[in-house]
Amino acid sequence: MPESGSEPYRQDNLLDRVSARDTLEFTYRHMMRRERALLDRRLGLAGGEVLSVGCGWHPGRHLFPAPAFRLTGVDSDPDKVAGVLAEARADAAEVGYAGELELPSASFDVVLYRLVLHHLVFHGPLAPCFEEAARLLAPGGALVAIEPGLWHPVGLGLALANRAGAATAIHGTPDDVPLSPRRLVAEARRAGLVPELHAVTYTWRRLPPLVQRALQPLDAFGSRPRAARFGHTLMLIARSG
């Protein structure tokens, strides 16, 4: 199964033309703080072995800091694997494909998919990813997936753009598919995991920082079950037995 970044990205797309880099960075910093806060509160792990699947250039060290966590990255792109190792962004990294990893069962405390599944779903079913995570998790471990949500207004707009065949012109790539919160929970349950869903944020990285600041207080409701489903960015924490 292809990893994230498998489809060409068109730099000259509509949304990137109208988005200032400072605005995007403002959102990324807020998201990283929210992700870490949610995991600190809900994951309940002080350390352990973490596998970041489809790690790209950023395998998630901000979420699982050394030396408490040992982080292993996997990506289908050898250049990204080499870059992660060269910059010491992970303790180990190797080339591999989601759903086809030849790693020992029950060998990780966390399997992380950070902004990866919504690319993989463009190419095929997600069940192999969830089943593999369940196999790789030690008892009491957790799959953590951070993905754009379909039920947020931006997610719905993105889905409509994809369906209209305008995705590449509007946001640069055809394989950016927002995921239904219902589907994430169902996939986890089918793999034998126990899921809980949170909204990382309700804001959108293209909005001016002033508007984002006005919306950020909504994030306080992100762990309420009914409200979580409508987040712009979702976090699934799905635990093994």
Side-chain angles (χ1 to χ4, degrees):
M1 180 180 286
E3 297 289 352
S4 62
S6 58
E7 294 298 314
Y9 185 81
R10 176 176 166 179
Q11 299 285 343
D12 184 29
N13 63 78
L14 174 63
L15 290 180
D16 278 349
R17 288 200 302 270
V18 301
S19 300
R21 187 66 197 176
D22 288 350
T23 298
L24 301 180
E25 291 296 336
F26 177 85
T27 309
Y28 298 151
R29 289 192 297 269
H30 176 67
M31 280 187 58
M32 291 169 69
R33 289 193 298 268
R34 279 284 299 159
E35 291 169 10
R36 179 67 186 272
L38 281 169
L39 288 179
D40 284 349
R41 190 171 78 246
R42 300 298 306 175
L43 192 57
L45 290 178
E49 295 283 336
V50 179
L51 178 66
S52 178
V53 184
C55 65
W57 303 110
H58 303 284
R61 181 57 90 187
H62 68 290
L63 298 176
F64 300 102
F69 292 95
R70 185 177 186 276
L71 179 62
T72 299
V74 174
D75 200 279
S76 65
D77 186 339
D79 290 338
K80 292 177 180 177
V81 170
V84 164
L85 290 173
E87 297 181 17
R89 297 189 178 198
D91 300 291
E94 62 183 69
V95 176
Y97 297 85
E100 303 174 12
L101 300 177
E102 296 181 0
L103 295 169
S105 298
S107 55
F108 293 95
D109 300 291
V110 177
V111 174
L112 173 66
Y113 277 96
R114 185 175 185 269
L115 303 176
V116 177
L117 294 175
H118 73 287
H119 292 297
L120 295 182
V121 74
F122 180 78
H123 300 277
L126 293 179
C129 300
F130 282 81
E131 292 165 1
E132 181 174 74
R135 178 183 70 80
L136 293 174
L137 286 171
L143 164 66
V144 175
I146 300 169
E147 303 293 338
L150 177 61
W151 294 0
H152 186 275
V154 173
L156 291 171
L158 179 56
L160 289 173
N162 292 345
R163 181 168 294 187
T168 301
I170 292 175
H171 58 85
T173 178
D175 67 337
D176 196 349
V177 182
L179 296 176
S180 159
R182 185 175 295 158
R183 179 175 187 177
L184 286 170
V185 168
E187 294 279 7
R189 285 180 175 149
R190 276 194 289 268
L193 302 172
V194 180
E196 60 180 75
L197 191 72
H198 305 269
V200 176
T201 184
Y202 294 91
T203 63
W204 184 35
R205 68 185 186 276
R206 311 286 182 176
L207 294 172
L210 186 63
V211 178
Q212 291 192 46
R213 287 192 183 95
L215 293 175
Q216 283 174 2
L218 294 175
D219 296 346
F221 300 99
S223 292
R224 297 187 180 184
R226 291 184 179 179
R229 295 173 286 182
F230 299 97
H232 174 275
T233 308
L234 306 175
M235 177 183 286
L236 175 76
I237 300 174
R239 303 177 193 275
S240 64

